[in-house]
Amino acid sequence: RDLPGSGAVIATIVVAIVLLFISAVLWRWPLAVAQKLIPQPTLDQQSRLPGEQLQTAAFCLLGLWLLTEALPHAAYVATIVYHSSGPRGSVTLTPWEYATISQVLAEFIIGLWLLFGAKGLLGILRWARHAGTTEPSNP
């Protein structure tokens, strides 16, 4: 395989820098993005749920989202494993397929942990906020 020319390398670096800049802006000012995406009357309403319950719900939703993302990958892995098994397997597993199998397993494990272990994650988050102090560092 040929190495890309210097134009392709420069384009890749420029795109990476732009994406890192966008990520930094979104990380620094998330409320500005939320105010653009969510209508103002919705933002003005107070939630009746305590913060811990909101965090638990967020972890559960994140786990559910991760599991739904893993399902198409699992179908691909199941198809590849089916066609590679048996004495007359029509496909041989490459390192790419082994990596995909590992990715799907990790997505399922993390997704299930987030979905069903949200209270444990909430405890880790609470511990990290108080790390070494008596008051939360991020109330």
Side-chain angles (χ1 to χ4, degrees):
R1 298 182 182 169
D2 295 330
L3 294 175
S6 62
V9 171
I10 291 172
T12 303
I13 291 172
V14 168
V15 168
I17 289 171
V18 168
L19 290 176
L20 286 172
F21 175 75
I22 291 171
S23 298
V25 167
L26 291 174
W27 185 268
R28 180 69 177 110
W29 296 285
L31 289 179
V33 176
Q35 289 172 348
K36 297 290 184 198
L37 295 174
I38 301 172
Q40 188 63 34
T42 306
L43 290 174
D44 292 337
Q45 295 176 356
Q46 290 288 333
S47 173
R48 290 181 222 139
L49 294 175
E52 290 182 3
Q53 287 182 348
L54 288 174
Q55 290 172 342
T56 302
F59 284 135
C60 288
L61 288 174
L62 186 61
L64 185 62
W65 173 75
L66 191 59
L67 286 174
T68 58
E69 288 289 317
L71 287 176
H73 294 287
Y76 170 77
V77 166
T79 302
I80 293 298
V81 168
Y82 173 76
H83 286 291
S84 68
S85 63
R88 302 172 91 190
S90 59
V91 176
T92 57
L93 293 178
T94 64
W96 177 261
E97 275 85 24
Y98 286 117
T100 304
I101 291 169
S102 299
Q103 175 190 358
V104 168
L105 287 175
E107 285 178 351
F108 270 112
I109 290 168
I110 294 170
L112 289 171
W113 182 46
L114 285 169
L115 185 62
F116 297 113
K119 288 189 186 276
L121 285 174
L122 187 60
I124 291 171
L125 183 64
R126 201 174 303 126
W127 172 82
R129 281 189 179 160
H130 293 281
T133 64
T134 57
E135 297 179 11
S137 60
N138 186 11

